Amino acid sequence: MRSDNAKSGMQQAPARSLFRALGLTDEEIKQPLIGIVSSYNEIVPGHMHLDKIVEAVKQGVAMAGGTPIVFPAIAVCDGIAMGHEGMKYSLVTRDLIADSTECMALAHQFDALVMVPNCDKNVPGLLMVAARLNIPTVFVSGGPMLAGRVKGQKRSLSSMFEAVGSYAAGTMTEDDVKEFECKVCPTCGSCSGMYTANSMNCLTEVLGMGLQGNGTIPAVYSERLVLAKHAGMAVMELLKKNICPRDIMTEKAFRNALTMDMALGCSTNSMLHLPAIAHEAGVELNVDIANEISAKTPNLCHLAPAGPTYMEDLNEAGGIYAVMNEVSQLGLLNLDCMTVTGKTVGENIKDCVNKDPEVIRPLDNPYSRTGGIAVLRGNLAPDSCVVKRSAVVPEMLVHEGPARVFDSEEDAIDAIKSGRIVAGDVVVIRYEGPKGGPGMREMLNPTSAIAGMGLGSSVALITDGRFSGASRGASIGHVCPEAAAGGPIGLVEEGDLIAIDINANTINMKVSDEELAKRRAAWTPKIKEVSGYLKRYAQLVTSADQGAVLKGN
């Protein structure tokens, strides 16, 4: 056992004395030491209950003959951090989480790990370090929030942000907004739509790193405590069989994840996180294959913000395995991939049926014949950009309009809410990328303001930053290269015509090469003055199309 390095032999008697200081018995010290990475805190609604999940995991580990030992991981609530400088500190935590977990796991020589995450950067950060460490690991998330109910309709956090836009447009009263405020987030858990947290928890299940139900069993269901106990037991089986993350997170597994990303209509942030996780697993995942996979994969689910269904509905319809079973009938999944169940994908999903064709569309009645995410290229984004196609209304799949250019999210929000953006416009927000932000802020506020003011079917938004999974509409992010790295988005001028064709995967500004060369010769990218961790991050981070990983990792 790896932990023998820290506890066996006369040389390690001092270490054993410290284990005894923890209250461990001889029997516990002799057993495999299982690290449980707890993302519990009291600021993130998706994490406020993780202490209960962790206790259930501990019981499962102990029942299966291991000694569970808990240590922490941090997590940021994107909703609370949204719309101010705090959002610069969201994506950057992904690497802090991975690095600090690596330090704790190797310093104390744990034999195996159970990861207990739930929210946006927390899940991919722990998947990254699982691949990096490559010791037996199981994931069990905290699960999704139940949908809220306002005036008899199911609602979620995206509805809350859009209510603020409706108030600015004069179509909602302050009392209306207050009712949304009090009702849209009724329980603990990750927000109830197919936003980034739930996207990544579902894709963890697809990758084979979480047990059935990891992505969909609601946080408040006792069934999730049962799942957590089973996760604790499962990690002991993985340890016995020496099944490690890189045995599971193979190139085929990542292709499965991208395929299911398309079928489920996941957040565009998955296109940032999957390449980063694959990088740690030694797999090259080029975002260009997304269009190849999308062309073959029907979009079967329209969960909020794309449609009126929620994670609880997907759970009742059969969950992720049911969607996988549908997609597998097209021969699009690699069914021989190993998973943390000790069985293959094919064995896991073979008896999982679609229980609700309104939530999981059958293959003969998809929302679209192509997948939920599209990667676009053109002279505005030579190295790619990303859009959640499944959340774009049909009339905006092809759009041309004048650029309204802003060098920060705040300036754009002010223009939207003051009525200066009109139907047909293309809002361009730049210097918000990984390096230029720095930190690549999510922009749920401007997209929600556009939707709330009734412009969702007539205004596009383009940025070198990124969007929340709760964003909907023609919201095109991850423009690469970013403005701060010399990307052409920095050359766009007010009034330039921008042509977007999501069906053709293109995005261009109708400006001649000669004019662009002239502008470039007179242009110097803006560099923001930052300090502390953000300064180090900006110096090390790569572009979004590379997963915004840090140089040297």
Side-chain angles (χ1 to χ4, degrees):
M1 291 187 296
R2 176 190 297 267
S3 61
D4 285 341
N5 295 328
K7 68 186 185 184
S8 295
M10 185 56 65
Q11 184 67 29
Q12 293 308 117
R16 287 196 299 276
S17 72
L18 294 170
F19 281 121
R20 292 181 190 282
L22 294 170
L24 298 185
T25 64
D26 285 339
E27 293 82 3
E28 288 173 307
I29 294 170
K30 288 176 183 176
Q31 291 179 155
L33 302 184
I34 311 301
I36 301 176
V37 185
S38 171
S39 304
Y40 167 78
N41 64 48
E42 294 183 343
I43 187 62
V44 184
H47 292 227
M48 62 182 283
H49 63 303
L50 294 188
D51 54 336
K52 310 292 191 304
I53 305 294
V54 166
E55 285 302 315
V57 172
K58 288 173 68 176
Q59 291 178 48
V61 169
M63 283 191 287
T67 299
I69 302 175
V70 179
F71 65 89
I74 64 170
V76 164
C77 178
D78 282 14
I80 294 174
M82 195 74 65
H84 52 83
E85 70 170 349
M87 182 45 69
K88 295 180 187 235
Y89 288 90
S90 175
L91 178 61
V92 304
T93 64
R94 189 183 69 179
D95 296 275
L96 281 174
I97 289 163
D99 293 348
S100 59
T101 302
E102 174 192 354
C103 293
M104 289 294 288
L106 294 184
H108 302 103
Q109 294 291 286
F110 287 107
D111 295 300
L113 298 170
V114 180
M115 306 293 196
V116 187
N118 211 24
C119 286
D120 297 37
K121 312 313 153 312
N122 187 237
V123 179
L126 291 178
L127 282 167
M128 287 165 66
V129 74
R132 185 187 302 174
L133 293 171
N134 202 36
I135 62 177
T137 303
V138 174
F139 277 67
V140 56
S141 78
M145 183 184 290
L146 293 179
R149 282 172 171 77
V150 182
K151 294 179 171 55
Q153 291 186 310
K154 285 187 177 182
R155 298 290 189 178
S156 62
L157 184 66
S158 54
S159 305
M160 181 72 254
F161 278 88
E162 290 178 15
V164 174
S166 297
Y167 175 77
T171 58
M172 263 196 189
T173 67
E174 188 173 343
D175 286 343
D176 290 332
V177 175
K178 181 71 172 181
E179 184 177 6
F180 272 77
E181 180 183 328
C182 294
K183 293 181 177 179
V184 296
C185 295
T187 73
C188 61
S190 47
C191 296
S192 56
M194 188 59 84
Y195 310 148
T196 308
N198 291 326
S199 293
M200 294 311 302
N201 282 324
C202 291
L203 294 180
T204 297
E205 202 173 321
V206 176
L207 280 170
M209 291 299 293
L211 300 177
Q212 182 180 6
N214 178 72
T216 60
I217 298 171
V220 294
Y221 284 13
S222 296
E223 187 183 355
R224 185 153 288 276
L225 297 177
V226 175
L227 180 73
K229 291 174 185 176
H230 284 151
M233 291 184 258
V235 81
M236 297 304 296
E237 283 299 310
L238 293 181
L239 181 59
K240 288 175 188 175
K241 296 175 181 177
N242 193 32
I243 298 174
C244 297
R246 291 194 184 194
D247 301 320
I248 295 169
M249 289 193 282
T250 62
E251 182 178 1
K252 287 182 177 179
F254 281 104
R255 287 191 73 95
N256 282 351
L258 276 175
T259 299
M260 291 305 299
D261 194 340
M262 300 301 168
L264 290 165
C266 292
S267 162
T268 52
N269 282 312
S270 62
M271 300 302 294
L272 194 66
H273 299 318
L274 286 175
I277 299 161
H279 178 76
E280 294 285 0
V283 174
E284 183 179 348
L285 191 64
N286 190 318
V287 295
D288 281 334
I289 69 170
N291 287 340
E292 168 203 327
I293 291 172
S294 178
K296 305 173 188 173
T297 309
N299 177 224
L300 304 182
C301 298
H302 262 196
L303 280 74
T309 54
Y310 296 82
M311 296 305 296
E312 62 198 65
D313 302 313
L314 181 57
N315 187 63
E316 294 302 317
I320 300 307
Y321 279 13
V323 188
M324 292 179 77
N325 199 9
E326 287 278 354
V327 173
S328 71
Q329 295 171 42
L330 294 173
L332 298 178
L333 294 180
N334 297 288
L335 300 180
D336 58 348
C337 293
M338 180 52 60
T339 72
V340 292
T341 66
K343 299 177 182 179
T344 65
V345 168
E347 291 173 309
N348 286 342
I349 69 173
K350 64 179 180 179
D351 296 321
C352 298
V353 298
N354 180 359
K355 300 174 184 177
D356 190 341
E358 294 300 315
V359 177
I360 305 171
R361 289 277 186 94
L363 295 176
D364 61 0
N365 184 33
Y367 283 101
S368 65
R369 297 288 173 188
T370 53
I373 289 178
V375 175
L376 316 182
R377 286 180 185 267
N379 68 356
L380 185 57
D383 292 345
S384 76
C385 57
V386 179
V387 63
K388 186 171 182 175
R389 181 185 359 224
S390 59
V392 180
V393 294
E395 56 265 39
M396 287 298 291
L397 291 172
V398 178
H399 180 75
E400 182 175 309
R404 306 299 307 280
V405 184
F406 305 94
D407 288 347
S408 73
E409 178 187 6
E410 289 84 356
D411 289 346
I413 292 171
D414 181 64
I416 295 165
K417 290 188 175 179
S418 63
R420 287 181 279 142
I421 303 301
V422 299
D425 284 348
V426 178
V427 176
V428 177
I429 306 177
R430 58 196 181 190
Y431 295 105
E432 292 286 5
K435 183 182 295 292
M440 203 179 186
R441 289 193 285 183
E442 284 187 343
M443 300 196 186
L444 180 54
N445 277 339
T447 59
S448 298
I450 286 171
M453 297 187 75
L455 297 171
S457 61
S458 60
V459 169
L461 198 156
I462 299 170
T463 182
D464 52 10
R466 60 196 178 93
F467 295 108
S468 164
S471 292
R472 62 186 176 98
S475 303
I476 300 166
H478 306 198
V479 169
C480 295
E482 61 177 293
I489 190 173
L491 303 177
V492 181
E493 293 183 358
E494 188 80 7
D496 286 347
L497 281 180
I498 307 293
I500 302 162
D501 190 333
I502 295 172
N503 294 323
N505 304 117
T506 61
I507 182 167
N508 290 287
M509 49 179 158
K510 292 193 165 182
V511 178
S512 69
D513 292 344
E514 293 77 15
E515 173 61 20
L516 289 177
K518 180 180 175 182
R519 291 181 189 180
R520 184 173 291 280
W523 173 63
T524 301
K526 296 179 180 179
I527 302 297
K528 294 176 184 173
E529 288 296 323
V530 291
S531 59
Y533 184 65
L534 286 182
K535 183 175 183 179
R536 280 179 279 147
Y537 183 85
Q539 291 169 343
L540 293 172
V541 71
T542 60
S543 64
D545 62 313
Q546 298 176 48
V549 298
L550 300 186
K551 296 170 188 172
N553 276 355

